[in-house]
């Protein structure tokens, strides 16, 4: 019972994480340099850009149009998006963004033993996390047994800018990487406009560039639930991204924001492609630091599938990544991180 309550509180806490951080960024910014911020709606969440320098009122329009293009390409909720049309076999023609993300996704699938897999689409739909919210737990096992035959990243390839599927029922789902990629694209736009110091945030996936003002780095953080004698308190694990190593992005994946509870059983929207089910483990969330936000986003999802042990084994061969895990064990929230994850400066 107590565990349940703590979990629920944590779910709420986790959603608030980034708002706190932005407030911190803005408060700390009253200095010699001009710091501006704009925000909007993006991919089922919000986006926020904080930047230093000359104010440019055309930036929100530029960011909105990047988000609009991403939606036109990747939304599984819009039946006319490129991915929906690819899934319905109405086209095979890919955009440069899709080609790039297929290639990056395949690489991450290989690195994670298939834990990350953009062909997960049919299972996402069958579990009611796609266009339809219906999920029949009783028939799922049967459905999954047949759907599994056309799941597998090796079953798709790109030739001459066109998608080749081993089976016409293959369906792509870029939801675990597109948000991070949108962050990277907005950051690229900011650089092209000449800005060197900015922070882009889409629903908690963050890219930081440069610094806020001299000697003051951008600060980001993970909100940490801690159980005390007085109940649950929330503390912030605040850190500076290791920009000198080029690792300027962080993405978090968790099973707390998006899940279904049916007959007391919890089904998360992150699915293990091998078993066809969400992993039932004590792992609550993973934050991954990487050199680009799409990579951080994808690895964070894969690590949720793999659990701490297997993820740590992968991370040992990837010092261009850093990770922070939050899990619940023995009646307590516990944390584990790679040695290169930045220290808490709170
Ligand atoms: P969030 O959208 O909450 O940031 P993620 O980045 O982890 O979370 O993305 C989860 C989404 O990715 C799911 O809703 C589903 O559409 C898709 N997905 C689920 N499992 C996998 C997987 N194993 N590999 C790739 N994508 C997945
Ligand atoms: Mg992800």
């Amino acid at each position: 019972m107590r565990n349940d309550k703590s979990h629920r509180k944590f779910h709420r806490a986790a959603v608030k994480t980034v708002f706190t951080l932005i407030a911190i960024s803005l408060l700390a910014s009253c200095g010699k340099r001009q710091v501006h911020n704009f925000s909007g709606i993006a991919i089922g969440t919000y986006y926020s850009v904080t930047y230093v320098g000359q104010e440019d009122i055309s930036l929100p329009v530029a960011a909105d149009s990047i988000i609009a293009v991403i939606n036109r390409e990747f939304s599984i909720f819009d039946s006319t998006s490129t991915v929906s049309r690819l899934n319905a076999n109405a086209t095979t023609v890919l955009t440069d963004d899709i080609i790039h993300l297929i290639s990056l996704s395949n690489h991450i699938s290989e690195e994670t033993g298939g834990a990350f897999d953009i062909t997960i689409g049919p299972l996402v739909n069958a579990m009611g996390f796609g266009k339809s919210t219906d999920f029949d737990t009783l028939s799922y096992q049967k459905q999954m047994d047949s759907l599994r035959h056309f799941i597998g990243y090796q079953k798709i390839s790109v030739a001459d800018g066109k998608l080749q599927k081993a089976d016409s029922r293959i369906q792509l789902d870029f939801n675990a990487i597109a948000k991070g990629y949108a962050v990277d694209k907005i950051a690229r736009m900011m650089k092209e406009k000449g800005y060197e110091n900015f922070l882009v945030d889409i629903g908690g996936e963050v890219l930081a560039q440069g610094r806020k003002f001299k000697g003051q780095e951008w600060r980001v953080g993970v909100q940490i639930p801690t159980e005390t004698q007085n109940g649950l308190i929330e503390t912030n694990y605040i850190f500076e991204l290791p920009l000198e190593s080029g690792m300027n992005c962080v993405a978090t994946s968790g099973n707390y924001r998006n899940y279904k509870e049916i007959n007391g059983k919890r089904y998360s929207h992150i699915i293990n492609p091998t078993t066809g089910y969400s992993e039932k483990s004590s792992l609550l969330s993973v934050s991954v630091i990487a050199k680009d936000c799409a990579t951080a986003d994808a690895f964070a999802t894969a690590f949720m599938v793999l659990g701490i042990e297997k993820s740590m084994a992968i991370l040992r061969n990837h010092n261009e990544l850093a990770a922070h895990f939050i899990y619940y064990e023995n009646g307590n929230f516990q944390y584990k991180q790679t040695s290169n994850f930045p220290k808490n400066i709170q």
Side-chain angles (χ1 to χ4, degrees):
M1 222 21 229
R2 200 170 121 247
N3 300 10
D4 271 7
K5 245 196 214 152
S6 302
H7 269 83
R8 236 174 287 138
K9 265 201 172 172
F10 172 63
H11 304 146
R12 270 207 309 272
V15 180
K16 292 190 300 196
T17 307
V18 174
F19 291 103
T20 317
L21 298 173
I22 292 304
I24 290 166
S25 309
L26 290 177
L27 284 176
S29 66
C30 337
K32 302 140 215 119
R33 295 164 82 177
Q34 285 282 314
V35 180
H36 311 280
N37 174 267
F38 60 91
S39 53
I41 291 169
I43 321 174
T45 177
Y46 67 92
Y47 79 78
S48 164
V49 179
T50 308
Y51 64 102
V52 180
Q54 190 71 36
E55 185 168 26
D56 179 350
I57 55 165
S58 74
L59 290 176
V61 177
D64 284 341
S65 70
I66 288 169
I67 299 292
V69 170
I70 294 280
N71 280 331
R72 291 292 303 144
E73 294 180 307
F74 296 103
S75 174
I76 55 168
F77 302 103
D78 170 3
S79 60
T80 66
S81 74
T82 314
V83 163
S84 293
R85 293 176 63 242
L86 290 165
N87 289 347
N89 300 306
T91 184
T92 56
V93 181
L94 303 170
T95 64
D96 289 347
D97 287 334
I98 298 178
I99 292 172
H100 172 73
L101 283 194
I102 289 178
S103 154
L104 179 61
S105 295
N106 275 355
H107 170 69
I108 294 169
S109 298
E110 272 162 16
E111 293 298 313
T112 59
F116 182 80
D117 195 325
I118 52 168
T119 64
I120 199 81
L123 294 184
V124 173
N125 286 329
M127 282 186 101
F129 289 112
K131 241 181 158 179
S132 156
T133 53
D134 298 342
F135 178 36
D136 180 350
T137 50
L138 292 177
S139 62
Y140 181 69
Q141 178 73 43
K142 235 175 137 191
Q143 261 176 295
M144 188 190 70
D145 286 341
S146 69
L147 296 177
R148 274 166 72 170
H149 297 294
F150 41 94
I151 294 191
Y153 65 97
Q154 307 95 330
K155 296 182 171 129
I156 55 160
S157 58
V158 176
D160 295 329
K162 290 183 178 161
L163 180 67
Q164 301 196 318
K165 296 180 178 180
D167 188 304
S168 62
R169 293 166 295 181
I170 287 171
Q171 302 216 347
L172 304 182
D173 178 331
F174 292 89
N175 285 349
I177 194 168
K179 218 193 297 168
Y181 185 59
V183 170
D184 293 332
K185 289 205 89 173
I186 292 179
R188 199 178 315 151
M189 177 274 287
M190 292 298 290
K191 270 195 209 161
E192 281 164 10
K193 299 260 185 192
Y195 293 98
E196 290 168 356
N197 303 288
F198 54 82
L199 185 125
V200 180
D201 167 10
I202 303 186
E205 325 293 41
V206 176
L207 179 151
Q209 184 80 39
R211 51 174 56 84
K212 213 178 306 158
F213 50 92
K214 213 169 177 224
Q216 167 84 66
E217 312 299 329
W218 297 108
R219 288 177 174 185
V220 290
V222 181
Q223 203 153 36
I224 303 271
T226 308
E227 206 134 19
T228 68
Q229 279 184 328
N230 302 325
L232 191 83
I233 58 157
E234 289 148 12
T235 51
N236 289 324
Y237 186 108
I238 305 283
F239 57 93
E240 288 168 0
L241 285 160
L243 302 187
E244 68 289 352
S245 334
M247 294 159 76
N248 62 336
C249 301
V250 59
T252 299
S253 200
N255 52 20
Y256 46 80
R257 271 184 292 186
N258 202 347
Y259 60 88
K260 289 173 191 295
E261 211 162 86
I262 298 168
N263 297 332
K265 266 188 160 181
R266 188 171 280 187
Y267 300 86
S268 145
H269 67 139
I270 297 170
I271 304 168
N272 184 338
T274 311
T275 63
Y277 281 97
S278 349
E279 279 308 297
K280 274 171 208 68
S281 81
S282 57
L283 183 56
L284 296 170
S285 93
V286 186
S287 298
V288 175
I289 295 177
K291 290 179 178 168
D292 64 272
C293 214
T295 298
D297 193 357
F299 270 106
T301 303
F303 290 158
M304 278 307 296
V305 169
L306 290 169
I308 300 181
E309 298 293 304
K310 287 183 186 157
S311 302
M312 281 301 226
I314 292 173
L315 283 157
R316 275 194 276 280
N317 300 320
H318 285 275
N319 59 11
E320 80 287 6
L321 302 174
H324 181 284
F325 301 84
I326 303 180
Y327 60 105
Y328 197 84
E329 217 169 77
N330 304 327
N332 263 311
F333 291 100
Q334 319 239 14
Y335 323 102
K336 195 173 181 120
Q337 61 199 63
T338 53
S339 57
N340 63 345
F341 199 90
K343 300 283 165 280
N344 189 356
I345 51 172
Q346 181 79 318

